[in-house]
Amino acid sequence: MAFSSVAGQPLAKRLLENAVRRGTKGRAYLFAGPRGTGKMTAARELAKAVLCLAPEPGDRPCGQCADCRKMERGQHPGFVVVEPDGEAIKIDQIRSLQARFHYRPASAGAEPVGVYVIRQAERMTAQAANSLLKFLEEPATPVVAVLIAENASALLPTIRSRVQRVPFVPAPPSELERLLLERGVAEELARPAARLAAGIDAAFELASSAWFGETLKTVLGWAERAVAGVAEALVDVFKYCSKWTEDQWEVAFELFALWCLDLACVAVGGRTPVFCEKRERMAALASRREPAHWATCAEEAVRARRRLRQHVQPQAEMERLLILLHG
Ligand SMILES: [Zn+2]
């Protein structure tokens, strides 16, 4: 089956298999869904299926023809990926995309000559988006367009109405955890990573990053110390403010929220804690405050994580949370 390298996503795969069967010539698709749910993998698979000269039954790319081999090497001239240049995708990028496909001969009935992918399509400038719209409306050659977006509602409505939406949905944490364990990720990292990420690609990237384990240990260390006495934890936070990246701080606040929710659940006997290898210590900690206190701290951690996007100081936010946690 084509698209077998995309984990999960049965609906997206069915839609794409049908699309390949019916013909993708001149069509445009919008792969919409959270980060790490396999959108780019699916785009590559679609390109392989479209560009293969001798597809096998079930529209599987043959893996042998010249086009399949070029795709495997990442050197197919008809497969173009456009990504933000800095903050945004600019009009020049869309223009060079148009120029690249415009002058190819397009004989009636010919197979598609190219597939282009626009990653983070919601980051096109207004001019770039309008330029793309014209390209979508007047396909000079039978190219296949794939727009990829996490926040599809940020795209121009006129673009949204031109593309077929293929939804990519978050995978259940239990499924992600199982896949991470299969890939050899340690259990104490697999469990929280499966809750923080929406898809296997993002979860695996997070769990196998060098800083994830360190961040986990550090943040939970602060939180535990803050319950006993807040001063020592505050001194420690200061040391990390310049060392950690924005992504790392975001993950730190998410882990903090998970840990507080764990304590609330342990206190009232809810779901199995995410950090269950510390179950006894968690039970002792949980009994030191009311369950509502832990729930409030979790909520505040989620709000603090959102505020990071508005360029607040992560150190100040974390200190505020630790003081709140101490109560
Ligand atoms: Zn082939």
Side-chain angles (χ1 to χ4, degrees):
M1 194 170 77
F3 305 104
S4 55
S5 62
V6 180
Q9 308 300 340
L11 174 62
K13 282 195 266 197
R14 205 169 63 237
L15 288 172
L16 289 170
E17 280 158 13
N18 287 342
V20 172
R21 201 171 309 132
R22 286 199 215 103
T24 52
K25 201 183 330 181
R27 301 293 306 266
Y29 304 90
L30 168 63
F31 292 5
R35 199 173 153 256
T37 43
K39 300 187 292 301
M40 191 59 205
T41 309
R44 264 192 216 100
E45 291 291 302
L46 178 66
K48 278 186 204 165
V50 166
L51 296 167
C52 175
L53 296 171
E56 291 179 353
D59 300 303
R60 268 192 312 254
C62 72
Q64 311 289 325
C65 70
D67 286 68
C68 277
R69 288 204 303 269
K70 282 182 208 158
M71 270 305 286
E72 280 305 321
R73 290 196 303 266
Q75 292 171 343
H76 199 295
F79 180 65
V80 180
V81 180
V82 179
E83 291 180 277
D85 174 14
E87 284 294 300
I89 296 172
K90 293 161 190 150
I91 189 165
D92 289 348
Q93 292 176 270
I94 303 297
R95 281 192 184 134
S96 62
L97 184 72
Q98 284 166 293
R100 180 150 186 176
F101 287 115
H102 194 73
Y103 298 107
R104 283 164 188 273
S107 57
E111 287 304 302
V113 294
V115 177
Y116 66 85
V117 179
I118 302 190
R119 297 185 89 169
Q120 302 185 52
E122 66 270 58
R123 287 171 70 184
M124 279 186 285
T125 63
Q127 294 96 322
N130 279 310
S131 176
L132 179 72
L133 186 61
K134 285 192 201 109
F135 195 34
L136 289 174
E137 282 169 344
E138 300 163 23
T141 54
V143 289
V144 180
V146 179
L147 277 59
I148 292 184
E150 283 175 43
N151 179 16
S153 58
L155 286 169
L156 287 182
T158 40
I159 287 190
R160 286 209 305 273
S161 68
R162 285 265 150 204
V163 295
Q164 185 192 335
R165 193 185 174 104
V166 181
F168 285 74
V169 294
S174 55
E175 171 72 5
L176 289 182
E177 190 181 323
R178 187 183 62 75
L179 291 169
L180 288 175
L181 294 173
E182 266 179 28
R183 292 192 186 185
V185 173
E187 207 178 339
E188 66 269 23
L189 297 179
R191 227 176 299 115
R195 263 122 196 119
L196 263 48
I200 184 60
D201 296 345
F204 186 70
E205 189 190 322
L206 180 63
S208 51
S209 73
W211 52 264
F212 184 61
E214 182 219 323
T215 310
L216 181 90
K217 211 170 128 210
T218 309
V219 170
L220 301 197
W222 289 338
E224 278 194 23
R225 272 181 284 160
V227 175
V230 82
E232 190 200 346
L234 288 187
V235 170
D236 210 358
V237 173
F238 176 73
K239 291 188 211 157
Y240 293 84
C241 64
S242 58
K243 273 203 307 197
W244 284 4
T245 62
E246 218 168 288
D247 285 351
Q248 199 169 355
W249 275 109
E250 279 191 15
V251 165
F253 283 96
E254 283 169 9
L255 290 168
F256 191 103
L258 269 185
W259 185 83
C260 293
L261 276 181
D262 259 11
L263 289 179
C265 289
V266 168
V268 298
R271 61 156 170 75
T272 312
V274 174
F275 306 104
C276 60
E277 64 278 0
K278 296 177 178 175
R279 196 187 287 258
E280 275 176 31
R281 198 149 88 226
M282 303 272 302
L285 276 172
S287 65
R288 294 174 69 166
R289 304 284 191 283
E290 291 295 316
H293 174 73
W294 305 123
T296 305
C297 293
E299 253 174 68
E300 276 305 310
V302 172
R303 285 203 195 102
R305 183 212 178 279
R306 277 196 216 120
R307 277 196 293 271
L308 290 188
R309 293 275 163 93
Q310 297 148 20
H311 306 290
V312 297
Q313 273 294 320
Q315 180 204 344
E317 287 293 322
M318 183 55 78
E319 285 175 351
R320 211 176 47 73
L321 267 183
L322 293 173
I323 291 165
L324 177 74
L325 188 68
H326 184 68

